[in-house]
Amino acid sequence: MGSKQFKLSLAIVSGLLLGFSFPPVPIGVFALFAFVPFFILFESIESHKEAFRYSYLTFFVFNIVTLYWTGGFVHGKDVYMMIAGASLLLVHPFFFYVPIAGWMFFRRQLGFKPSIFIFPFLWVGFEYLHSLSEIGFPWLTIGNTQTYDLAIIQFTTFTGVYGLSFWILSFNIAVFILYSKLALRE
């Protein structure tokens, strides 16, 4: 599939869509499509090395958009805070490879199409476990993207934010499958 530039652009677009779907930007609807370019990209990725490279880029862009404020780059100008913020922006994307590595394992066993249905379970499990640790980021849970759509997210009374994350990822998979079916017709 495509050139290296196309793969890079898919990773960047996915990271931007995901990043701009989080508050304070009121366009959480981006989260419903943010993983579609990621899935398109990963259709052609077979090796863990390449999977790591593109997932790091995707989640690096995502972290820059959502966590730029932690380093005080805009307002604080404190050198130590900027070093800590830069370290966070560089290191935190590594954590997001954990569910991707699990997905790659299942993908090798089952193939791409069947393994995509395992992705929401792996991702939401990762979000939950990641929020329990000392270095947890519960505000980067995918379900938090829908903060401004209160009428839509009323079911979280029963499922919590992780149920909403699962729903958003499942919606992404449905959109990806629709895209795949339409792309095969052309």
Side-chain angles (χ1 to χ4, degrees):
M1 162 197 273
S3 66
K4 187 174 183 177
Q5 287 88 3
F6 182 66
K7 289 180 177 181
L8 287 171
S9 65
L10 286 173
I12 291 169
V13 166
S14 187
L16 288 172
L17 285 172
L18 195 54
F20 285 118
S21 65
F22 276 84
V25 183
I27 44 180
V29 71
F30 281 0
L32 299 174
F33 308 97
F35 280 93
V36 174
F38 190 75
F39 293 145
I40 294 169
L41 169 64
F42 269 71
E43 270 186 308
S44 64
I45 292 178
E46 295 296 327
S47 73
H48 278 282
K49 181 179 178 182
E50 195 175 16
F52 175 77
R53 188 175 334 132
Y54 287 111
S55 65
Y56 181 84
L57 176 61
T58 300
F59 297 114
F60 177 69
V61 170
F62 165 58
N63 275 268
I64 286 178
V65 173
T66 56
L67 298 176
Y68 72 91
W69 57 271
T70 58
F73 303 110
V74 178
H75 61 281
K77 307 294 187 214
D78 178 6
V79 175
Y80 295 111
M81 189 152 94
M82 291 171 76
I83 291 170
S87 299
L88 172 68
L89 293 176
L90 291 171
V91 173
H92 195 249
F94 287 112
F95 288 103
F96 289 102
Y97 187 66
V98 172
I100 304 304
W103 181 43
M104 290 297 289
F105 170 79
F106 285 107
R107 186 173 161 204
R108 286 189 176 189
Q109 305 300 316
L110 305 171
F112 181 79
K113 294 285 183 179
S115 72
I116 202 166
F117 295 103
I118 296 171
F119 187 79
F121 293 97
L122 294 171
W123 189 272
V124 172
F126 162 75
E127 282 185 343
Y128 176 72
L129 293 174
H130 189 52
S131 72
L132 295 177
S133 69
E134 291 294 323
I135 53 175
F137 279 79
W139 60 85
L140 288 186
T141 303
I142 303 291
N144 290 336
T145 60
Q146 305 306 305
T147 302
Y148 296 111
D149 296 323
L150 297 178
I152 296 172
I153 63 169
Q154 292 303 306
F155 70 91
T156 58
T157 302
F158 305 106
T159 65
V161 71
Y162 301 110
L164 184 55
S165 290
F166 189 86
W167 179 80
I168 291 168
L169 290 165
S170 298
F171 191 87
N172 271 274
I173 290 169
V175 171
F176 170 73
I177 290 170
L178 180 65
Y179 163 80
S180 296
K181 291 193 183 289
L182 292 173
L184 287 176
R185 288 186 179 176
E186 294 176 8

